[in-house]
């Protein structure tokens, strides 16, 4: 009885947190769209959708998501082959370079690409500033690693004997790929594509930095309606559209990942990696090299160079100015914002780890009855919902719900780390849950037979194994919280901004000093996230997921 109560509480505590700080704000937001004055009405929808601007925003959102997805897949599949099916010196370094962009804060990526296309940038003569093309390029920068790692993980586990049999029967390499390999990779490719579409459709930071006033997506339009026009009904209507788009993407991704998991159980333990060969691997290697150098390294290196460029040449003036308010541009010095970011990210990480550990322990159980298994499946799905709801929607929901007793948190700084913890929680669960599910149940049974109490089994078996994934989970949670911009841009107080908010403010102001300080702050933020994720990757357990 005590054991059942313990497991019930372990599931109830994080579920209550999710209900209060996620389900309630989002549900209130949806209700605001359908019940603007306390009675059911579609007037808000009719007003919003009668505007040509709204349809232009929706079309732009879907177009940028589709273009970003197609380009990420086309460029990512060759990268998956090179990095997961061939061996060559320095492969670990290339994998690390490919992975880092995925965890960089969106505002940093926006600033990096902005440094390329402004009038004084290396690509300024092309006129790409505030263009569709540069935004799509930044989205591919973000999501290339997701495709490479998702497809590469399955590709590395495929049984090579099927391909070998097709070759023996006379099929050319191209035909083997099209008729054998590509169908086997299809679940991973489509799963990655669904997730990339989700992330592209809900992109906020890069669009805010790169798009300018004339470019809008659903995410930025929600911000515009809320912060500039105070049109909460219109913003709620667009938020519902956003929920439908990202929710559908998440459902598709989850179903395809289940298909991929069933396929992976058929794999063999033999290694399918082979030494790099010029004749076979030249084309995918050239594509991968072009992406790594031209799309991944070029923007970041340009950002670093621009942060060092002063009116008198190269120097550290912009970094020294981080101790100031930029001539009154900011309400606090940048280093104060760094401190705010570190404090909020630490609190958010602790919250996400505690809740994610409880959720993972509960969901990893194996009930004997069908009802119990379905219940745990629903619990798992519930904690993935924040992954399918944009941070802007969460931040907006906080504004209209947590503003009155008994939870009036408008003036409390705890609101920001709570929002960041909601965003990071699904990532923590996705890291810890595979580790717990990989535990051989016979270990628990053996410990129980030897007289260990349920609490001791939990401590000596489950927690001992899950400790292997805590480093990676901590890295994901901290890096995500440190760079979170969507919800934080709604919630951060003017006198206590976080570093991403400060970067956005500086880049949005004219003048060499403001631009230079913004780029220096962006480099600082990028280095912090990269170092955190680099340390976390070294502690990655084999059972952890690829995204």
């Amino acid at each position: 009885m005590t054991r059942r109560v313990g497991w019930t509480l372990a599931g109830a505590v994080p579920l209550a947190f999710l209900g209060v700080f996620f389900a309630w704000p989002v549900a209130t937001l949806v209700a605001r769209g359908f019940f603007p004055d306390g009675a059911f009405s579609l007037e808000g929808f009719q007003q919003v959708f009668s505007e040509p601007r709204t349809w232009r925003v929706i079309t732009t959102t879907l177009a940028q998501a589709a273009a970003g997805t197609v380009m990420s897949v086309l460029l990512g599949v060759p990268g998956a082959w090179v990095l997961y099916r061939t061996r060559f010196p320095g492969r670990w370094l290339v994998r690390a370079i490919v992975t880092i962009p995925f965890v960089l804060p969106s505002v940093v990526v926006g600033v990096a690409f902005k440094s390329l296309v402004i009038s004084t940038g290396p690509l300024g003569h092309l006129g790409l500033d505030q263009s569709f093309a540069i935004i799509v390029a930044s989205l591919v920068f973000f999501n290339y690693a997701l495709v490479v790692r998702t497809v590469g993980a399955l590709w590395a586990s495929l049984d090579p004997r099927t391909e070998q049999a097709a070759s023996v029967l006379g099929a050319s390499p191209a035909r083997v790929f099209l008729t054998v390999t590509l169908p086997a990779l299809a679940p991973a490719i489509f799963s990655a594509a669904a997730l990339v579409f989700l992330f592209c459709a809900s992109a906020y930071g890069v669009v805010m930095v790169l798009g300018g006033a004339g470019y809008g997506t659903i995410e930025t339009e929600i911000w515009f309606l809320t912060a500039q026009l105070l049109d909460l009904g219109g913003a709620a209507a667009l938020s519902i559209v956003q929920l439908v788009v990202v929710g559908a993407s998440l459902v598709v991704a989850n179903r395809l990942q289940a298909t991929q998991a069933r396929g992976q159980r058929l794999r063999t333990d033999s290694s399918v990696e082979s030494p790099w060969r010029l004749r076979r691997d030249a084309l995918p290697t050239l594509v991968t090299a072009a992406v790594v150098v031209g799309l991944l390294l070029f923007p970041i290196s340009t950002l670093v160079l621009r942060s060092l460029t002063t009116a008198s040449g190269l120097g550290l003036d912009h970094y020294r100015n981080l101790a100031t308010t930029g001539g009154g541009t900011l309400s606090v010095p940048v280093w104060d914002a760094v401190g705010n970011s570190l404090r909020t990210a630490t609190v958010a990480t602790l919250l996400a780890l505690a809740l994610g550990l409880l959720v993972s322990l509960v969901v990893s159980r194996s009930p004997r009855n069908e009802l119990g298994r379905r219940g745990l499946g629903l619990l798992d799905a519930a904690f993935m919902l924040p992954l399918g709801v944009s941070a802007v929607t969460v931040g907006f929901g906080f504004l209209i719900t947590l503003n009155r007793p008994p939870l009036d948190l408008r003036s409390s700084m705890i609101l920001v780390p709570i929002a960041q913890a909601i965003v990071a929680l699904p990532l923590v669960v996705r890291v810890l849950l595979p580790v717990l599910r990989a535990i051989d149940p016979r270990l628990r049974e053996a410990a129980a037979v030897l007289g260990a109490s349920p609490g001791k089994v939990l401590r000596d078996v489950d927690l001992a194994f899950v400790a292997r994934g805590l480093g990676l989970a901590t890295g994901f949670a901290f890096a995500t919280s440190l760079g979170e911009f969507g919800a934080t841009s709604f919630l951060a107080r003017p006198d206590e901004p976080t570093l991403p908010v400060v970067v956005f403010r500086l880049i949005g102001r004219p003048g060499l000093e403001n631009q230079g300080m913004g780029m220096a702050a962006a480099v600082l933020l990028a280095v912090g996230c990269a170092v955190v994720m680099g340390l976390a990757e070294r502690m990655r357990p084999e059972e952890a997921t690829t995204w």
Side-chain angles (χ1 to χ4, degrees):
M1 184 67 178
T2 303
R3 181 182 180 185
R4 181 176 299 179
V5 170
W7 284 113
T8 301
L9 287 175
V13 170
L15 197 59
F17 182 88
L18 188 73
V20 172
F21 295 110
F22 176 74
W24 180 31
V26 173
T28 302
L29 180 61
V30 173
R32 181 69 65 90
F34 287 109
F35 301 90
D37 297 314
F40 180 79
S41 173
L42 295 178
E43 183 178 349
F45 286 87
Q46 293 171 352
Q47 182 178 354
V48 170
F49 292 112
S50 64
E51 297 287 339
R53 175 186 173 93
T54 299
W55 291 106
R56 185 170 66 250
V57 163
I58 293 175
T59 302
T60 301
T61 301
L62 296 178
Q64 80 171 26
T69 300
V70 170
M71 293 303 301
S72 296
V73 170
L74 290 178
L75 297 175
V77 171
W81 166 267
V82 172
L83 296 178
Y84 285 85
R85 287 294 294 262
T86 67
R87 294 193 304 270
F88 57 90
R91 186 179 66 167
W92 68 271
L93 179 59
V94 180
R95 281 187 177 182
I97 293 173
V98 166
T99 301
I100 287 175
F102 184 65
V103 299
L104 285 181
S106 59
V107 69
V108 170
V109 176
V111 173
F113 277 83
K114 188 78 171 178
S115 68
L116 292 177
V117 297
I118 57 177
S119 58
T120 56
L123 302 181
H125 62 284
L126 298 178
L128 294 175
D129 194 13
Q130 300 185 7
S131 69
F132 181 82
I134 196 64
I135 291 177
V136 170
S138 69
L139 295 176
V140 176
F141 174 95
F142 255 127
N143 295 292
Y144 176 75
L146 179 59
V147 176
V148 169
R149 299 186 69 154
T150 302
V151 177
L154 180 58
W155 211 337
S157 67
L158 291 180
D159 191 336
R161 291 175 294 183
T162 308
E163 296 172 333
Q164 293 165 0
S167 298
V168 169
L169 292 174
S172 64
R175 187 173 182 183
V176 170
F177 176 77
L178 292 175
T179 60
V180 178
T181 307
L182 192 59
L185 292 175
I189 292 174
F190 285 110
S191 174
L195 287 171
V196 171
F197 188 90
L198 184 156
F199 291 135
C200 291
S202 59
Y204 176 67
V206 292
V207 178
M208 289 291 285
V209 174
L210 295 173
Y215 189 98
T217 63
I218 295 177
E219 288 280 279
T220 60
E221 191 71 4
I222 292 172
W223 173 86
F224 178 74
L225 290 173
T226 305
Q228 303 298 316
L229 302 183
L230 299 178
D231 183 3
L232 299 185
L238 276 181
S239 295
I240 293 172
V241 175
Q242 180 77 310
L243 286 174
V244 172
V245 172
V246 297
S249 301
L250 191 60
V251 168
V252 171
N254 283 340
R255 290 187 176 181
L256 290 170
Q257 283 175 347
T259 302
Q260 178 183 343
R262 288 194 293 270
Q264 281 185 315
R265 286 196 288 267
L266 301 176
R267 67 184 181 182
T268 65
D269 293 330
S270 60
S271 175
V272 296
E273 294 180 359
S274 60
W276 187 89
R277 295 201 297 267
L278 177 63
R279 182 176 179 181
R280 181 195 64 187
D281 303 324
L283 182 58
T285 301
L286 286 175
V287 173
T288 304
V291 172
V292 171
V293 175
L295 185 64
L296 305 186
L297 292 179
F298 185 37
I300 296 300
S301 59
T302 301
L303 173 63
V304 174
L305 180 61
R306 298 280 300 180
S307 73
L308 296 171
T309 302
T310 67
S312 58
L314 296 180
L316 297 175
D317 294 0
H318 298 315
Y319 289 89
R320 296 189 186 97
N321 289 338
L322 297 182
T324 71
T325 60
T329 301
L330 303 173
S331 58
V332 297
V334 176
W335 285 114
D336 287 5
V338 172
N340 294 334
S341 291
L342 292 176
R343 285 191 296 272
T344 57
T346 300
V347 175
T349 299
L350 292 175
L351 277 173
L353 286 177
L355 297 170
L357 179 58
L358 290 175
V359 173
S360 301
L361 286 170
V362 172
V363 174
S364 65
R365 301 301 97 181
S366 301
R368 297 178 181 177
N369 58 74
E370 181 65 21
L371 182 61
R373 288 192 290 271
R374 288 187 178 182
L376 291 185
L378 290 175
L379 185 65
D380 185 18
F383 282 92
M384 291 304 102
L385 286 177
L387 190 64
V389 177
S390 73
V392 170
T393 299
V394 174
F396 180 34
F398 273 33
L399 286 181
I400 63 175
T401 53
L402 304 177
N403 61 348
R404 55 188 179 274
L407 280 177
D408 187 357
L409 301 178
R410 287 172 298 178
S411 60
S412 174
M413 195 58 186
I414 192 63
L415 203 59
V416 173
I418 287 175
Q420 293 175 352
I422 288 290
V423 174
L425 182 56
L427 301 178
V428 173
V429 174
R430 289 271 70 84
V431 171
L432 299 182
L433 188 56
V435 178
L436 287 166
R437 283 177 170 167
I439 298 175
D440 190 335
R442 291 174 296 183
L443 290 175
R444 300 188 185 100
E445 295 169 0
V449 168
L450 292 174
S453 65
K456 188 172 177 60
V457 172
L458 179 66
R459 184 192 65 193
D460 294 344
V461 178
D462 292 83
L463 294 182
F465 271 85
V466 83
R468 298 163 53 186
L470 281 178
L472 182 61
T474 301
F476 264 117
F478 194 84
T480 301
S481 301
L482 192 64
E484 206 285 318
F485 178 66
T488 306
S489 64
F490 276 87
L491 304 174
R493 289 162 46 181
D495 59 332
E496 293 185 343
T498 62
L499 190 54
V501 173
V502 163
V503 171
F504 179 72
R505 289 177 184 172
L506 287 169
I507 292 298
R509 299 295 179 90
L512 177 62
E513 181 180 339
N514 289 330
Q515 297 285 318
M517 284 180 62
M519 292 182 185
V523 170
L524 200 65
L525 184 56
V527 170
C529 290
V531 169
V532 169
M533 282 308 303
L535 294 174
E537 280 288 340
R538 294 183 64 87
M539 295 181 280
R540 169 184 288 272
E542 294 181 0
E543 302 88 350
T545 54
T546 56
W547 59 273

